[in-house]
Amino acid sequence: MLLRALGKDDLPLIMKVEKICFPDEKWREEDYLNEIEHNPFAHYYGLLNDDDIIGVIGIWFTYETSTVTTLGILPEYRGHGYGEVLLDHALKKAHEYGCLSCDLEVRVTNEAAIHLYRKRGFVSKALRKNYYENNHEDAYLMIKEGGSLWQ
């Protein structure tokens, strides 16, 4: 297994995860390219098995705050702790950048993700009604604050 930063040459890997894990979402290759090339706050990391992608996490480091923008693990790799590996790596990087908190939105029906985030110290702070455009599903705003983000 290799965990590394992803760049523009890795767009096919990112899009593979995006299309399989989030088929109804609106992020296109151009959106990720813009993030990678023009958003100084955006960072993407991938977990790879040889040359094949297992999962991707996107996170913004915005001064003292970080935001997880995406976390996807391909279905055949779920349930093996790879989401934890990616999340822990991103939180460690956020801590190194000086971030004091991390936030994210998660579908209220995504029990596996909610469990992971709670396990890592995230707390539900608000309910975002009709957050997802494709089906108007609600999302929890979850935040991890204080101390070392990655411990």
Side-chain angles (χ1 to χ4, degrees), residues 14-27:
I14 294 170
M15 292 312 298
K16 177 180 179 179
V17 172
E18 180 70 18
K19 288 175 182 174
I20 292 172
C21 294
F22 310 107
D24 298 326
E25 300 298 319
K26 295 200 177 215
W27 279 67

Side-chain angles (χ1 to χ4, degrees), residues 79-130:
H80 300 286
Y82 297 127
E84 292 178 49
V85 170
L86 282 169
L87 182 59
D88 288 348
H89 179 76
L91 291 173
K92 182 176 181 183
K93 290 292 186 183
H95 177 77
E96 291 171 1
Y97 271 82
C99 297
L100 303 175
S101 67
C102 186
D103 60 72
L104 55 86
E105 282 89 11
V106 60
R107 290 179 184 273
V108 296
T109 57
N110 191 343
E111 294 177 18
I114 293 167
H115 176 76
L116 168 62
Y117 299 138
R118 285 188 178 143
K119 186 175 175 183
R120 288 300 183 259
F122 285 81
V123 176
S124 296
K125 294 287 188 171
L127 181 68
R128 302 221 195 256
K129 299 294 281 178
N130 302 309

Side-chain angles (χ1 to χ4, degrees), residues 57-93:
I57 191 166
I59 188 166
W60 292 348
F61 306 132
T62 314
Y63 308 106
E64 72 281 350
T65 303
S66 57
T67 301
V68 173
T69 58
T70 191
L71 174 56
I73 303 295
L74 293 179
E76 61 268 29
Y77 294 105
R78 292 178 187 161
H80 300 286
Y82 297 127
E84 292 178 49
V85 170
L86 282 169
L87 182 59
D88 288 348
H89 179 76
L91 291 173
K92 182 176 181 183
K93 290 292 186 183

